[in-house]
Amino acid sequence: MSEHTFIMVKPDGVARGLVGEVISRFERKGLTLERIRKLDIDEALARRHYAEHVDKPFFPELLEFITSGPVVAMQWSGEEAISVCRTLMGATDPKKAEVGTIRGDLGLAVTNNLVHGSDGPESAARELEIFFG
Ligand code: DAT
Ligand code: MG
């Protein structure tokens, strides 16, 4: 079933010049890039996007990181795009992410783990609405 998902290259990925690398991996998989914008995330937007995490102990660090520089927000589509993108991204902690995944190949620390991807149909719809209206 074709799905839409929300993908974001986080500030570390943008600062390291890895936007093209991330896009290329999704494109080569056969997914379709439908929308893209570069923006800065302020605290209010961070709290909205990461609503499920605002009370977690790591949230202050996550907030500081995600507001530290521009991000590239995207809508991707394709067959089972939500789970396919999560597979291509790898586990949340890049140290545990499999080699061959974006986080496994390019990341090290859990906070600056390069990419965000929606974890289900509801979060995809919610996040696409937040970033693309
Ligand atoms: P994911 O980004 O794989 O969906 P998540 O939604 O559980 O992971 O967490 C959102 C982000 O918060 C994650 O990309 C990095 C950060 N994070 C998660 N767990 C963390 C932890 N235990 N310590 C520090 N940062 C964490
Ligand atoms: Mg998540």
Side-chain angles (χ1 to χ4, degrees):
M1 188 186 75
S2 185
E3 291 175 336
H4 298 296
T5 190
F6 176 70
I7 298 292
M8 179 168 73
V9 182
K10 296 183 181 182
D12 57 333
V14 176
R16 290 172 60 196
L18 295 172
V19 175
E21 169 80 25
V22 171
I23 288 176
S24 180
R25 285 174 181 237
F26 291 129
E27 279 191 323
R28 279 149 58 205
K29 184 67 178 173
L31 296 157
T32 301
L33 178 60
E34 295 192 319
R35 295 198 275 191
I36 182 165
R37 64 181 280 235
K38 187 178 186 184
L39 73 152
D40 292 296
I41 295 186
D42 64 14
E43 180 168 346
L45 181 56
R47 287 181 176 279
R48 194 171 164 212
H49 172 65
Y50 282 127
E52 64 176 318
H53 296 310
V54 290
D55 295 323
K56 304 262 176 73
F58 60 79
F59 186 73
E61 196 179 335
L62 178 60
L63 176 63
E64 177 161 350
F65 164 62
I66 208 69
T67 59
S68 67
V71 302
V72 172
M74 297 175 277
Q75 176 178 308
W76 286 84
S77 71
E79 209 173 304
E80 295 185 37
I82 297 169
S83 67
V84 167
C85 286
R86 295 282 297 189
T87 301
L88 292 178
M89 287 163 50
T92 303
D93 184 347
K95 287 185 282 300
K96 297 178 183 135
E98 285 188 39
V99 170
T101 66
I102 293 167
R103 288 163 167 171
D105 288 351
L106 306 171
L108 192 59
V110 66
T111 300
N112 39 316
N113 61 3
L114 290 154
V115 280
H116 168 87
S118 307
D119 63 8
E122 277 122 58
S123 58
R126 192 183 74 85
E127 292 164 3
L128 288 169
E129 170 66 24
I130 290 174
F131 285 88
F132 291 103

